[in-house]
Amino acid sequence: MINISIAGIGGQGSVLAARILAEAALAKGWQVRTCETTGMAQRGGDVTSHVRMGNLGEVVSSPLPAKASVDVLIALEPGEGARNLGLLRKGGLLITATTGQPPATADLKAKPYDAAAVIEELKNQGIELLIVDDVELCGELGSRKALNIIMLAVTLAAVNEPGLYTGNALSGELGIDEMRKAVQACVKPRFVDMNMQAIDIAQTFVAGLPR
């Protein structure tokens, strides 16, 4: 069983990223269940999408992962990565973007949201952590609309790149080729080219990471 959670703010595309993962898994003949847990509002509130995949032929009876059972947690902004950290299993991987996008509830708190401080705290958690400079990668693409695609592609490239995170449960199970096919199945035709470019940019980023 492989458990993936994608955490972000409404409008960042966590649901589409989960759908692409599920499509790629279904194409391999796996049983898959997905669901979303949402905050106070769909747009502007927190949204975490979950994908559970029976890669070993398991029956997937529940769409929600248990605490400390997620193999990869993808955070489309760092605060949501920190908020969902309890989902990550021991030895699991957190991949987070650097740009903070506070949820609507952040306005109700006295202390300002500081994304850089959150990332520094994540570094001290003793977890497998990959920090993605989304400003640079989205800037290269020329759009932030495909942040979700970039982050998902970084994940699949990183867990399959020798010398990086190949000990993860996702390693060798799903890769970039499967993602490209799933994108074509899930994304409107006019957006496919941009999403393919986003995948290329993510692959180049991962290839340049230190081993």
Side-chain angles (χ1 to χ4, degrees):
M1 186 81 66
I2 301 173
N3 295 323
I4 310 295
S5 292
I6 306 167
I9 303 302
Q12 285 191 302
S14 69
V15 175
L16 175 58
R19 183 183 170 196
I20 290 168
L21 263 181
E23 177 68 25
L26 286 170
K28 293 178 73 74
W30 301 347
Q31 188 174 124
V32 183
R33 291 190 183 273
T34 68
C35 70
E36 291 78 43
T37 52
T38 62
M40 62 176 284
Q42 185 173 357
R43 183 168 291 275
D46 51 271
V47 180
T48 304
S49 299
H50 310 282
V51 185
R52 307 192 70 218
M53 302 176 279
N55 63 307
L56 299 177
E58 307 99 320
V59 174
V60 185
S61 57
S62 170
L64 278 173
K67 289 183 178 180
S69 71
V70 167
D71 299 293
V72 181
L73 173 59
I74 304 170
L76 303 180
E77 74 91 31
E80 290 305 301
R83 191 177 68 80
N84 287 279
L85 200 57
L87 290 174
L88 197 65
R89 69 168 176 80
K90 184 177 180 180
L93 172 64
L94 169 60
I95 299 181
T96 182
T98 54
T99 301
Q101 183 171 332
T105 52
D107 292 337
L108 304 176
K109 298 180 179 180
K111 188 176 180 180
Y113 174 46
D114 185 343
V118 172
I119 289 176
E120 288 305 311
E121 182 61 30
L122 289 172
K123 290 178 181 178
N124 296 324
Q125 294 300 311
I127 59 173
E128 290 272 24
L129 176 64
L130 174 56
I131 299 168
V132 179
D133 186 346
D134 58 292
V135 173
E136 179 180 347
L137 299 189
C138 289
E140 186 176 343
L141 180 64
S143 173
R144 289 194 63 82
K145 291 182 179 180
L147 170 65
N148 57 341
I149 302 299
I150 287 174
M151 294 297 292
L152 181 55
V154 165
T155 299
L156 294 179
V159 298
N160 288 293
E161 183 73 16
L164 290 178
Y165 305 101
T166 51
N168 193 273
L170 189 57
S171 303
E173 299 292 334
L174 283 179
I176 292 295
D177 289 343
E178 288 95 341
M179 180 180 174
R180 288 185 187 277
K181 293 176 183 177
V183 164
Q184 291 176 324
C186 296
V187 174
K188 293 179 180 179
R190 68 178 183 272
F191 296 126
V192 168
D193 285 347
M194 180 179 71
N195 283 286
M196 292 301 173
Q197 292 174 35
I199 294 172
D200 291 340
I201 289 168
Q203 283 189 286
T204 300
F205 167 76
V206 170
L209 289 174
R211 303 300 192 270

